[in-house]
Amino acid sequence: MRHGGDLARAEAAYGRPRQGWLDLSTGVNPHPYQLPPFPSSSLTRLPEPPELESLLRTARQAYEWPEDAPVVAGPGAQAMIQLLPYLRVRGSVAVVGRTYEEHAYVWARAGHEVTICDMQTAEDADVVVLVNPSTPFGRTTSPEKLQKLAERLAEREGLLVVDETYADVAPEVALGGRLASRGVVVLRSFGKFFGLPGLRLGFAAGDQEMVSELAGELGPWPVSGPALVSGLTALADEAWIATMRLRLTVDAMRLDGILAHAGFTGLAGCDLFRAGRHPRAAAVHESLARAGVWCRRFDDRPDCLRFGLPGDDEAFERLDTALKAAFEKAL
């Protein structure tokens, strides 16, 4: 599996750039939340159960889940993605659309029969997996539609898995208060929006049985002390969250302008990444990499490139310059 942020692979192929890498291959916020110093106790003792319960309450409030919603915290949403397939009897799994490849991979590896399909045919499966907003083009599905799908699946012991990794910048598409305790599991990533992926913190909420089994698999200390403290602080900072959403919207519009001016078409995504098409995308990717700009390409979409947000004016200018040079060579 290939993921964004693999600079070791980039350096192996292209060497180390003189200016260092401008890594735009992920959908991580380039403006990380500024955490206060960790208390020494977060490292010198195990987290206490009341502290973990406080984190879960804070997550419910931040994501607008019901007060009694079953929730579990873990070392990143990826941990829950890896575990979920082993908590279900082997059956049919429908992954909606070409999206984050890890979902289809882990369900198939666990022995399930996986198909990639659209929403119209997905609900015949035992498990439906959907990323909302999706990557690379930011496809979204309304929470009303997802709620109805979850209800239909629950009637026959099916399960809807909704990966809301990027929903922090599109809260209107999140299930939020529509989340039920049966038939649906929602996954949330802390690191993407808060720009702190190295902390490894994520949440799963919804179906009582699945969340309980996830909690059992993760054990009594599912997150580290620093991750717990960070989640409590950042998730409760409503002013920062609101301000950052506006900042990311502006940055995404600026990135759209650069990509459109360079010749990309069909620009789409969410406010943490943008994707566009060009018939010479592979050549552009090669040229950008040789200039030390690392973006994301996709084997199943050879005409598509995805770009995370540059972090400052210098990064935007570097991307703009590299794209102009790349398109001169590609054309």
Side-chain angles (χ1 to χ4, degrees):
M1 296 295 297
R2 291 185 177 182
H3 302 92
D6 188 0
L7 293 183
R9 182 166 62 90
E11 288 193 2
Y14 301 100
R16 181 169 297 178
R18 182 180 304 174
Q19 296 175 268
W21 284 100
L22 173 57
D23 185 10
L24 305 179
S25 67
T26 74
V28 175
N29 185 352
H31 313 295
Y33 187 85
Q34 298 302 304
L35 290 167
F38 295 122
S40 59
S41 60
S42 70
L43 293 169
T44 58
R45 63 174 180 79
L46 291 169
E48 297 285 348
E51 295 172 321
L52 181 57
E53 284 302 317
S54 181
L55 174 63
L56 300 183
R57 285 195 301 272
T58 302
R60 289 186 186 96
Q61 294 170 357
Y63 300 134
E64 299 183 352
W65 292 328
E67 291 183 2
D68 59 349
V71 183
V72 63
Q78 183 65 40
M80 272 73 87
I81 291 173
Q82 299 284 140
L83 287 171
L84 277 171
Y86 296 96
L87 305 180
R88 291 279 304 186
V89 174
R90 290 177 180 174
S92 58
V93 176
V95 178
V96 178
R98 296 277 177 182
T99 187
Y100 183 45
E101 296 177 359
E102 197 75 29
H103 287 290
Y105 172 73
V106 297
W107 285 93
R109 188 181 64 179
H112 297 268
E113 182 181 346
V114 177
T115 58
I116 311 289
C117 59
D118 57 27
M119 282 286 287
Q120 284 65 41
T121 56
E123 64 181 272
D124 293 331
D126 300 316
V127 176
V128 178
V129 181
L130 179 141
V131 183
N132 196 38
S134 188
T135 180
F137 289 106
R139 181 196 69 244
T140 60
T141 305
S142 72
E144 295 84 3
K145 191 171 185 177
L146 292 177
Q147 181 186 25
K148 292 178 181 178
L149 175 57
E151 291 171 352
R152 291 195 294 271
L153 287 168
E155 289 175 356
R156 54 181 179 83
E157 303 301 321
L159 181 70
L160 172 64
V161 178
V162 185
D163 184 341
E164 293 184 351
T165 290
Y166 297 108
D168 293 86
V169 294
E172 69 280 359
V173 306
L175 271 173
R178 297 175 182 270
L179 180 66
S181 59
R182 184 168 173 260
V184 59
V185 170
V186 168
L187 304 173
R188 295 294 295 236
S189 167
F190 174 84
K192 290 284 197 303
F193 178 68
F194 289 97
L196 300 169
L199 274 174
R200 309 311 302 141
L201 177 61
F203 301 90
D207 187 272
Q208 177 70 63
E209 182 178 354
M210 296 299 292
V211 170
S212 178
E213 291 193 28
L214 278 171
E217 292 296 320
L218 291 166
W221 301 288
V223 297
S224 70
L228 193 154
V229 171
S230 301
L232 279 170
T233 303
L235 287 170
D237 195 339
E238 296 180 2
W240 186 92
I241 291 170
T243 301
M244 184 52 62
R245 283 174 177 157
L246 291 174
R247 180 175 186 177
L248 293 176
T249 296
V250 172
D251 284 355
M253 292 173 63
R254 183 177 181 182
L255 179 57
D256 273 347
I258 290 175
L259 296 177
H261 187 261
F264 281 95
T265 61
L267 295 173
C270 72
D271 287 348
L272 283 172
F273 60 81
R274 308 300 288 170
R277 298 184 183 279
H278 190 274
R280 299 293 303 279
V284 173
H285 181 273
E286 179 81 9
S287 179
L288 289 175
R290 294 192 181 281
V293 178
W294 191 235
C295 63
R296 187 80 186 273
R297 60 174 301 191
F298 302 88
D299 292 337
D300 62 337
R301 297 180 177 89
D303 64 338
C304 171
L305 293 180
R306 195 193 76 177
F307 297 82
L309 299 180
D312 54 28
D313 289 343
E314 182 180 351
F316 272 104
E317 291 168 6
R318 183 177 174 187
L319 171 63
D320 191 23
T321 299
L323 276 172
K324 290 174 180 176
F327 272 94
E328 286 176 3
K329 295 177 183 177
L331 296 172

